[in-house]
Amino acid sequence: MSDDSITREYPGQELVVEWRQGLCAHSGNCVRANPRVFNPRRSPWIQTDQASDDEIREAVGRCPSGALRIR
Ligand code: SF4
């Protein structure tokens, strides 16, 4: 089974952040864009209650690999 098939979901106010582990390039763009929401040293590492949906969308838009998506 490929890691691409592992998708974790993090519900926000009116959106859901999806993260595909196998696609993550660990570039850290999301962490730099919004370290309150994206913090790999914490569990869960994505916490959607730390920012508005607009801020989350902005950070997800900086993911270069497609690992992060909004649904
Ligand atoms: S921006 Fe995308 S590829 Fe980079 S660490 Fe975050 S989820 Fe992974």
Side-chain angles (χ1 to χ4, degrees), residues 16-44:
V16 177
V17 177
E18 294 180 348
W19 178 61
R20 284 168 182 74
Q21 186 177 338
L23 292 180
C24 180
H26 303 286
S27 64
N29 288 22
C30 55
V31 180
R32 280 190 294 278
N34 201 318
R36 284 177 291 133
V37 175
F38 301 94
N39 180 348
R41 296 200 193 112
R42 188 186 58 188
S43 181

Side-chain angles (χ1 to χ4, degrees), residues 1-17:
M1 189 169 81
S2 155
D3 277 350
D4 288 3
S5 63
I6 299 174
T7 302
R8 299 199 190 284
E9 300 189 347
Y10 305 86
Q13 290 159 34
E14 293 184 2
L15 52 72
V16 177
V17 177

Side-chain angles (χ1 to χ4, degrees), residues 49-70:
D49 61 348
Q50 299 293 320
S52 69
D53 282 358
D54 282 349
E55 290 172 307
I56 293 170
R57 275 182 209 283
E58 219 274 317
V60 166
R62 291 171 188 255
C63 178
S65 68
L68 286 176
R69 288 178 210 177
I70 297 279

